[in-house]
Amino acid sequence: NNLTKSESEVFDLLLHNKNKLVNFDEIADCIWGDRSIEKYSEYAITKTIERLKKKLPKHSVHTQRGVGYILISS
């Protein structure tokens, strides 16, 4: 699975917080760092998660609508 830089960073964040909710702000900070406020895009975050879900079928990423995502370990 070839993950992009942002996909890899988001996956690491989710993995580090396995079974815990990671909210949109935390993901934005992960992707854009200091520029997250000016770059913030819920659409971009959603698309990154969608691509991750397709590339990582062994992992289960659950959506908490309007809040964030949870990586469920099996």
Side-chain angles (χ1 to χ4, degrees):
N1 292 324
N2 295 330
L3 300 181
T4 66
K5 183 177 182 284
S6 61
E7 289 166 356
S8 181
E9 289 171 348
V10 170
F11 179 62
D12 287 345
L13 175 67
L14 291 170
L15 200 54
H16 184 72
N17 292 284
K18 197 166 40 178
N19 298 318
K20 292 185 203 149
L21 178 72
V22 179
N23 68 37
F24 288 116
D25 290 339
E26 292 171 290
I27 296 170
D29 287 344
C30 175
I31 296 174
W32 297 293
D34 294 343
R35 301 178 67 207
S36 65
I37 292 172
E38 63 195 67
K39 292 279 191 179
Y40 188 91
S41 164
E42 207 167 289
Y43 177 80
I45 292 169
T46 302
K47 286 298 173 190
T48 300
I49 296 291
E50 282 178 13
R51 288 192 308 272
L52 261 180
K53 284 180 175 183
K54 286 179 186 163
K55 293 179 180 181
L56 302 167
K58 293 184 291 264
H59 297 278
S60 184
V61 180
H62 291 267
T63 304
Q64 187 77 36
R65 273 190 79 158
V67 183
Y69 300 92
I70 306 168
L71 180 71
I72 304 295
S73 73
S74 44

